[in-house]
Each structure stands twice: as C-alpha cells, then as structure tokens.
Amino acid sequence: MIPRSRATGRAMFYQAFYRLPLPVRRRLVRLAVPKYIVGAVTLVRDAEATGAGRLLMLRQPPGKAWSLPAGLLNRGEAPVVGAARELFEESGIRLPPSRLRPAVPNAIVHAKGWVDMVFEVEVPASSTELAVDGAEVFEAAWHPLDDLPKLTWPTARLLAYYDIGPLTGQFPPPVPDTAP
C-alpha cells in the first residue's frame, strides 16, 4: 500500500501535469522516458530453396561483411511499411507490406538504445530480380543458411535470435505468446 502522503503527492503532481498544455506534457514525457531508434529488418527467404534454405543478404559499404535488408523508420511510419520500403530501396524487391509477416520475436531490443522490428517473407529467387544502386548497397545475393558469408556483428547477433548463423544458441529463445 502507498503511504497517504506519497499518494497525495502523486495526485498533486498529476493534477498539475494534466493542467499543462499538451505540447508541454509531451515534451516533459520525452525528456523523462528513454528514447529508442527504431529500425525495420526483413528476413527474405528463397521460397524455392531446398535443404536448410537460402536467405537474401546484402553487401553494403564498407563491403567487408554481409547484412540484411534493413533501415530506420521514418517519423510516424508503421514498421511493416518501413520494412517493405527498405526492402525495395536496398534490393529492388517491391512487395506490399501485407506480404510481410512479423517474425517471432518481432522486436529485438538492443542495449545501445535501438529496437529492430523484424519481418519475414518468402519469394522465389529464380523469378525475383535483384537491383542495387551501387552506393548504399554494393551487392545482393542469395546465400545458403548453412553456409553464410562473413556477417556484420549486428546481423550475426540478430540472426542468432532466429537460430541462424554463427552465433546460434548464444541468445535466449523468444518467450512464447501465452495470450488466448
């Protein structure tokens, strides 16, 4: 139970807080609440692959390791929309956001203040044309899951949450959803 004087203090704080104009209240909340950078990542699997499967990987500057189609969300942009936008910008694969499924886990919260919203999709590699701009992305290619190229550290860490890549088993498994 909360002591009466503390409860009275909280009530007075909230009464004063809610009398402030909405923009001021929002600014105060932004100052008090941790801030996160939110990105969208897409795991694009080859729908025609056999065995362990294949994953679309990108080689981006400086070009020493491979990563996934990903990028930061625009202000107010839905994560699935941002994932579809980044997928097109970086690989040339244009899909409606409705084709992307939330991965499990869907959100990976990193200690350094960013959150990755992760989505999955399957496309047939043989009929999917890849197009890169040569500036933001040097190369896009399909790689077997059991023989991935050298990965960037953030990519290797993220893939481990999905039991893919060299860091598999080093991170806790996702907590199953127990909602009815």
Side-chain angles (χ1 to χ4, degrees), residues 68-152:
L68 298 165
L72 297 177
L73 296 180
N74 293 325
R75 186 176 203 87
E77 184 176 41
V80 70
V81 172
R85 175 183 52 77
E86 286 291 339
L87 178 61
F88 175 67
E89 288 175 4
E90 294 184 347
S91 70
I93 300 174
R94 185 185 299 270
L95 296 173
S98 60
R99 283 272 317 271
L100 305 180
R101 296 181 317 281
V104 177
N106 181 229
I108 306 293
V109 180
H110 303 280
K112 299 289 185 184
W114 87 88
V115 177
D116 281 324
M117 301 300 296
V118 185
F119 297 89
E120 295 181 301
V121 68
E122 289 88 26
V123 297
S126 66
S127 61
T128 301
E129 185 176 334
L130 301 176
V132 298
D133 63 11
E136 183 180 0
V137 177
F138 293 151
E139 183 179 3
W142 299 97
H143 291 278
L145 289 175
D146 55 3
D147 189 26
L148 292 173
K150 179 182 177 188
L151 303 173
T152 65

